[in-house]
Amino acid sequence: MNEDHIPSGHAYPMLGYLPYRCDGPGLLADSPLQNCQYDGPGRALQHIYEGKLADPGLLDRSSLHWFDQEPFYGENNEVTGLDKWALIYVPKVCYTETCDLVVSFHGCGFVFPGMYSWLVAGLDFNEWAWTSTNGWWQAWTSTPGMYSWMVVIYPRLEAHGTSSQFQQGCWNVYGQTGLDYADKGAAQMPAIKKMVDDIPSLKIWDSNLKRPS
């Protein structure tokens, strides 16, 4: 999927409820969430689901939970770089029904206090995950579509390692650890694969957006 008509900066283009406009001047151009009158996360999901998803619902903050990433550190977390805690969105229906899984990777710079939580709460992957859980109400009031329940997991990096990208909490997409950075044997992707496989047994901190100490 390639969209080249949205004048956003290096950001997630979003719908119109954000104060940071799409083509904002100066530092506003660097905001990671920008008001572009364009639902970037939604368009990505519709692309994946071949345009068959129904309209998004409302964010249920009680479905956002911190979980412990320490079991996924691997042999050397200075290379893997996972923070202790990350967030997962689990619609209530997913405790009893089979749900799809979406993994959302943050960009660089989300190691600064509050930035990661702000991003997770601001992206509307969660609203799209909640779409189908509104059941009969959605069926009668929304555009007809496929109701696909989703768990959304937001893996989180900390400042780690020695490279400037790692210190900013960037994922290893620049080959900082060598030519095998994109292979299955590199540190980060096996950690995420294990995280995905272990979804039912994650150590959940049941306190929504209040980060555990």
Side-chain angles (χ1 to χ4, degrees):
M1 182 179 71
N2 182 34
E3 301 273 3
D4 58 6
H5 64 283
I6 308 300
S8 66
H10 186 63
Y12 295 91
M14 302 291 291
L15 292 173
Y17 57 86
L18 293 165
Y20 313 106
R21 77 184 201 200
C22 201
D23 57 349
L27 292 177
L28 291 180
D30 294 327
S31 172
L33 298 177
Q34 294 182 9
N35 177 356
C36 297
Q37 298 297 322
Y38 180 87
D39 185 358
R43 289 297 296 269
L45 289 173
Q46 287 287 23
H47 176 72
I48 293 169
Y49 284 89
E50 299 180 336
K52 297 176 181 178
L53 291 178
D55 294 342
L58 300 175
L59 171 65
D60 177 13
R61 287 182 178 268
S62 69
S63 294
L64 269 172
H65 305 282
W66 291 98
F67 72 94
D68 187 358
Q69 292 191 126
E70 189 170 351
F72 313 108
Y73 283 178
E75 296 180 359
N76 183 1
N77 199 46
E78 275 298 299
V79 178
T80 310
L82 293 175
D83 202 335
K84 169 67 173 172
W85 299 99
L87 283 162
I88 185 171
Y89 189 81
V90 187
K92 292 178 176 61
V93 69
C94 296
Y95 288 99
T96 56
E97 303 291 340
T98 299
C99 294
D100 289 347
L101 176 67
V102 174
V103 180
S104 175
F105 293 93
H106 61 72
C108 299
F110 291 95
V111 295
F112 300 104
M115 288 291 291
Y116 169 81
S117 299
W118 174 70
L119 177 75
V120 171
L123 290 172
D124 62 351
F125 285 117
N126 304 320
E127 284 87 334
W128 284 94
W130 182 246
T131 297
S132 55
T133 62
N134 290 332
W136 64 268
W137 184 87
Q138 281 280 345
W140 282 103
T141 63
S142 295
T143 303
M146 179 173 68
Y147 300 99
S148 180
W149 301 322
M150 303 174 200
V151 170
V152 188
I153 191 168
Y154 298 91
R156 183 186 188 192
L157 294 182
E158 63 182 1
H160 64 285
T162 57
S163 74
S164 60
Q165 293 93 350
F166 280 177
Q167 284 296 306
Q168 295 177 59
C170 303
W171 292 92
N172 187 6
V173 296
Y174 303 102
Q176 297 99 319
T177 57
L179 295 178
D180 65 344
Y181 75 99
D183 295 347
K184 292 180 180 179
Q188 289 182 341
M189 287 305 99
I192 301 304
K193 175 62 164 60
K194 188 173 188 302
M195 199 179 292
V196 167
D197 291 342
D198 289 357
I199 286 288
S201 57
L202 292 179
K203 297 178 181 178
I204 299 291
W205 177 268
D206 196 13
S207 188
N208 310 128
L209 283 178
K210 182 179 179 182
R211 181 181 175 177
S213 58

